[in-house]
Amino acid sequence: PPARRSDALRSFGNTPKMLQFYSEKIGVKYPYEKYAQTCVQEFFFGGMENTSATTQTERTLHDERAHLDFSSDPLVAHELAHQWWGDLLTCKDWSHAWLNEGFATYFEALWTEHDKGADEFRYEMYTNARLYIEEDTTSYRHPIVTRHYAYPFAMFDRHLYEKGACVLHMLRFILGDALWWRAMNHYCVSNREKAVETQDLVRAIREVSGMDLQQFFDQWVYSPGHPDLKVSWSFDNAAAVGTLSVVQTQSTDDGTPIFAFPVEVAFYPRKGSPITHRLEIKNKEHRFHIPLREKPQWIAFDAGQWILKTLDLN
């Protein structure tokens, strides 16, 4: 509405910065002549990423007072990210829709990281993980890629959005920042204006990194669930050795696997910087013996909060 011009500028003012950020980081310039955002009354969704012309709910327009407590940036960033992930390349069928929505959700968080810093980003990813786990625990569990659904819209759940984002976050941890962004660029460029499925992403990562991450996708994308970890820690003062016990307690009766993943554990001494060890979890149970100069004041299992999991730490 014309009378809400100032609200529109308040809600959408960061769009040019987002366009620049995505174009530079993906390495693919925004591919269309323009980008329009239209607010529609009584719109059923938050936003819909029509190519070059996103439709958004008028509820995302807010006055100066509301702006102190509410930002439109997450919605704007999410729908803008779809111009690459969902429009420039899109999923072949509904079963691979996480390639649209999981990507847009993670790139929404990446804008937060760029704009507001690492702490806000980590909290956003923590929230994404909790939302997925709540749905998985209280409602249902299924693989991200599945062809079993009553109707297409039923696919658009916490598994597709938030778990999909967490999968990309773990890939970033495994590949490292530089290689992860190169993989995103190659995946986008090699599949530009095509329909994609998950194996196209697997292939792009392999072509860039030389790493075959099929097992990663088999367990996190094609299988249901996540690891439920029971971790305990003890320290032998005489030998100056700590023992870390890691047990995966999730049931595998529904097809949930025993997961294989790397994890970083940080040991905090009384003084000085933490000592970090990167451990490989592959089995149901592990016992790691870690030499340390002194008993740590405390430990941080998965210190960077990269791995999607539940954790019972003693």
Side-chain angles (χ1 to χ4, degrees):
R4 303 200 66 179
R5 175 179 174 81
S6 61
D7 294 341
L9 294 174
R10 188 178 296 111
S11 294
F12 303 140
N14 279 331
T15 306
K17 295 178 183 177
M18 294 176 185
L19 276 163
Q20 182 178 4
F21 172 69
Y22 288 152
S23 295
E24 290 178 355
K25 296 300 287 187
I26 298 170
V28 175
K29 186 179 179 181
Y30 175 74
Y32 310 110
E33 290 183 6
K34 65 174 181 64
Y35 185 58
Q37 296 173 99
T38 306
C39 291
V40 176
Q41 294 177 346
E42 300 180 12
F43 189 54
F44 184 73
F45 303 103
M48 182 62 222
E49 66 276 10
N50 315 300
T51 303
S52 82
T54 289
T55 304
Q56 294 188 1
T57 173
E58 68 167 347
R59 296 190 304 276
T60 201
L61 298 173
H62 47 269
D63 60 25
E64 194 170 1
R65 173 60 187 87
H67 191 62
L68 298 174
D69 302 313
F70 181 82
S71 173
S72 293
D73 276 7
L75 176 62
V76 174
H78 183 101
E79 303 307 332
L80 178 59
H82 271 310
Q83 301 303 312
W84 288 264
W85 317 118
D87 290 344
L88 187 60
L89 52 155
T90 195
C91 57
K92 285 184 179 178
D93 59 58
W94 291 116
S95 68
H96 296 277
W98 82 281
L99 298 173
N100 294 17
E101 298 300 346
F103 269 69
T105 302
Y106 191 53
F107 274 73
E108 171 188 334
L110 290 172
W111 164 255
T112 299
E113 182 180 36
H114 172 76
D115 187 50
K116 295 185 177 179
D119 287 344
E120 289 276 358
F121 168 72
R122 284 188 178 185
Y123 184 74
E124 187 167 334
M125 291 308 301
Y126 167 82
T127 302
N128 285 336
R130 299 281 75 76
L131 288 169
Y132 151 70
I133 289 172
E134 180 182 13
E135 180 178 83
D136 175 88
T137 303
T138 62
S139 298
Y140 51 79
R141 169 175 289 187
H142 63 74
I144 293 178
V145 172
T146 178
R147 289 185 168 84
H148 297 281
Y149 50 87
Y151 51 93
F153 187 66
M155 294 289 294
F156 290 78
D157 59 7
R158 303 299 190 186
H159 287 64
L160 200 72
Y161 287 73
E162 284 82 5
K163 185 180 182 182
C166 291
V167 166
L168 291 173
H169 191 52
M170 290 186 287
L171 276 172
R172 184 180 169 193
F173 173 56
I174 291 170
L175 293 172
D177 261 26
L179 206 52
W180 188 85
W181 281 109
R182 281 179 57 197
M184 292 301 102
N185 169 262
H186 183 57
Y187 170 62
C188 186
V189 171
S190 61
N191 293 287
R192 183 174 182 139
E193 298 180 353
K194 296 179 182 178
V196 290
E197 56 188 10
T198 300
Q199 287 306 115
D200 294 307
L201 177 59
V202 178
R203 186 180 305 109
I205 292 171
R206 183 172 61 247
E207 289 172 352
V208 165
S209 68
M211 299 171 63
D212 186 352
L213 296 183
Q214 189 64 56
Q215 181 189 29
F216 174 93
F217 285 88
D218 286 345
Q219 62 188 12
W220 294 107
V221 178
Y222 294 115
S223 298
H226 54 270
D228 295 318
L229 303 178
K230 186 176 181 62
V231 178
S232 60
W233 164 254
S234 62
F235 189 78
D236 185 332
N237 284 292
V241 172
T243 299
L244 187 74
S245 171
V246 182
V247 181
Q248 297 193 48
T249 64
Q250 69 272 12
S251 171
T252 57
D253 294 344
D254 59 359
T256 300
I258 296 297
F259 288 82
F261 56 91
V263 66
E264 289 184 345
V265 185
F267 301 89
Y268 287 78
R270 284 174 291 182
K271 295 181 179 180
S273 301
I275 299 166
T276 301
H277 287 261
R278 187 175 175 119
L279 308 174
E280 294 292 333
I281 308 297
K282 298 179 180 179
N283 305 319
K284 181 177 176 61
E285 298 185 27
H286 286 277
R287 288 178 70 84
F288 298 99
H289 301 287
I290 302 166
L292 296 166
R293 292 181 180 179
E294 60 176 315
K295 181 179 180 179
Q297 293 287 92
W298 60 287
I299 72 170
F301 186 87
D302 187 20
Q305 292 296 306
W306 292 97
I307 305 302
L308 179 62
K309 65 192 181 302
T310 65
L311 177 63
D312 176 4
L313 176 61
N314 182 358

